[in-house]
Amino acid sequence: MGDSSGSVSIDVERLFFGGTEHRVETRCGTLSVTVYGDEDKPALITYPDVALNHMSCFQGLFFCPEAASLLLHNFCVYHITPQGHELGAAPIPPDVPVPSVDDLADQVADVLDFFSLGSVMCLGVTAGAYILTLFATKYRERVLGLMLVSPLCKAPSWSEWLYNKVLLNLLYYYGTRGLVKESLLQRYFSTEVRGNGQEPESEIVQACRSLLHERQGANVWRFLQAINRRHDLTDMLKKLQCRTLIFVGEYSQFHADAVHMTTKLDQRYCALVEVQACGSLVTEEQPHAMLIPMEYFLMGYGLYRPSQHESSPRSTLSPICISPELLSPESMGVKLKPIKTRISLNA
């Protein structure tokens, strides 16, 4: 599978499946990090949602040819996989302490140190978006920008906390099967693609269902346990100094969190894009809807798709090089309120 834009051709499938996996020792255990692309380019760090890895969380986005030409042309991508979520992972021994969300954020710093990375761009989904946002509040000088998909930012409500406790018990005894699998699929996808009596389940949901079956329940339990104990980031958001682009599915369970987060960030440097008729996992369900907002967002850093800008960036991104007018929400082509991306794409 390939994409040709101008004089540049990117073999997306070869890049996505041909990455190099590294085992990175961190202060809280070993992480799997898969690296794609030229390591001289600026770094893009990704972090998936609960029970997912980069294959099940970001494949749709990177297999979208236009998005691939934008991201893979401009970045070296470092996919962080939550501990024990990589393919073929063994169960983590029960005597290993469950990390806190702060431990998980500190692990991201350890990954950057391992690869000698300075400041990076971040892309996270739901729980992964929370971890990267927390990382950005703790290590502000190391984050140049945040692209967040259906992010969490508040502590769990009583209803979410109780729901997750039931899920944790089911995970502990039965693993990622039956009701647990259905609950996770509801977390990720809208009813439109999950199917019903009249419409069959979509291929992306079928693929995710298959991948969830291979996941170790004990390892998913640990990540969900950490996320269910998360603390509120609201008061820390105003301290963020980086630009932030937030996507949220219209039918996402975490829609309210995304809207709340947007109101608490410095509104000069953030924008919220609501993706119509979509669940939380926009990267898989409607990756094309992310293209135009991401393109405008990255223009603020002097990064373009190869058809517009053929030279390949080699130096670390620097916000000093961004003109002030490119930091406005209008420059991203989005508004500081939910918009329907189907409408904006057709405009």
Side-chain angles (χ1 to χ4, degrees):
M1 182 176 181
D3 171 57
S4 180
S5 298
S7 62
V8 179
S9 177
I10 296 177
D11 187 342
V12 181
E13 189 169 354
R14 180 181 61 80
L15 277 171
F16 200 81
F17 288 110
T20 303
E21 183 180 9
H22 299 262
R23 305 293 292 176
V24 179
E25 291 292 336
T26 73
R27 65 196 79 183
C28 294
T30 304
L31 285 181
S32 170
V33 181
T34 306
V35 182
Y36 297 88
D38 182 350
E39 294 186 27
D40 288 334
K41 293 182 180 181
L44 172 65
I45 303 294
T46 76
Y47 208 115
D49 192 17
V50 170
L52 302 178
N53 55 32
H54 74 279
M55 295 296 296
S56 48
C57 194
F58 298 105
Q59 179 173 292
L61 178 64
F62 281 88
F63 268 38
C64 174
E66 296 86 357
S69 67
L70 174 66
L71 297 176
L72 296 175
H73 175 72
N74 287 294
F75 294 102
C76 180
V77 183
Y78 298 79
H79 290 298
I80 297 177
T81 299
Q83 200 168 15
H85 283 49
E86 63 272 18
L87 290 175
I92 297 172
D95 59 337
V96 176
V98 175
S100 67
V101 288
D102 286 281
D103 292 331
L104 297 179
D106 291 338
Q107 282 186 320
V108 177
D110 293 337
V111 169
L112 267 59
D113 291 341
F114 178 87
F115 291 104
S116 300
L117 300 175
S119 300
V120 300
M121 189 70 68
C122 295
L123 170 61
V125 176
T126 310
Y130 176 93
I131 298 302
L132 291 178
T133 304
L134 177 57
F135 169 72
T137 64
K138 297 182 71 171
Y139 302 89
R140 283 179 287 173
E141 73 286 352
R142 306 197 75 170
V143 178
L144 290 162
L146 290 169
M147 294 185 285
L148 308 175
V149 180
S150 304
L152 304 172
C153 75
K154 296 189 290 185
S157 64
W158 279 108
S159 57
E160 184 196 345
W161 181 87
L162 184 59
Y163 182 86
N164 284 342
K165 289 298 285 186
V166 173
L167 206 57
L168 284 163
N169 285 332
L170 291 172
L171 267 169
Y172 186 84
Y173 290 106
Y174 303 108
T176 53
R177 293 172 174 78
L179 184 59
V180 172
K181 187 182 294 184
E182 296 306 319
S183 298
L184 289 171
L185 292 174
Q186 288 177 22
R187 175 188 177 96
Y188 308 143
F189 300 109
S190 69
T191 54
E192 293 191 5
V193 294
R194 292 205 315 273
N196 51 45
Q198 288 73 40
E199 297 293 331
E201 193 172 73
S202 72
E203 290 184 2
I204 58 169
V205 177
Q206 291 175 16
C208 188
R209 181 185 295 277
S210 176
L211 288 168
L212 286 175
H213 187 73
E214 300 171 3
R215 200 71 66 241
Q216 293 287 350
N219 301 349
V220 176
W221 182 91
R222 290 168 56 86
F223 190 17
L224 183 58
Q225 181 80 294
I227 292 300
N228 208 35
R229 294 173 175 173
R230 70 184 185 272
H231 50 84
D232 197 326
L233 299 181
T234 300
D235 292 339
M236 305 165 72
L237 295 177
K238 281 290 184 184
K239 299 177 182 178
L240 282 181
Q241 298 173 337
C242 62
R243 298 171 66 215
T244 305
L245 178 60
I246 299 175
F247 297 92
V248 65
E250 181 182 12
Y251 303 137
S252 170
Q253 297 176 13
F254 312 106
H255 188 283
D257 256 54
V259 174
H260 171 80
M261 186 174 186
T262 307
T263 64
K264 300 304 178 182
L265 286 164
D266 188 330
Q267 299 200 358
R268 294 172 298 170
Y269 309 131
C270 75
L272 172 66
V273 179
E274 182 186 78
V275 182
Q276 192 176 45
C278 188
S280 298
L281 197 56
V282 182
T283 51
E284 291 295 311
E285 190 169 341
Q286 290 199 40
H288 287 86
M290 299 176 65
L291 175 64
I292 290 177
M294 281 198 310
E295 196 161 7
Y296 279 101
F297 180 75
L298 294 176
M299 280 181 188
Y301 298 91
L303 302 176
Y304 301 85
R305 276 202 281 166
S307 58
Q308 296 170 296
H309 187 71
E310 294 183 7
S311 64
S312 179
R314 295 284 173 173
S315 60
T316 303
L317 296 171
S318 173
I320 297 173
C321 301
I322 305 171
S323 58
E325 60 269 19
L326 287 177
L327 292 173
S328 68
E330 291 77 12
S331 74
M332 298 185 222
V334 290
K335 302 175 183 177
L336 285 173
K337 62 180 182 179
I339 64 173
K340 306 296 185 182
T341 53
R342 286 182 181 173
I343 295 172
S344 67
L345 286 170
N346 292 332

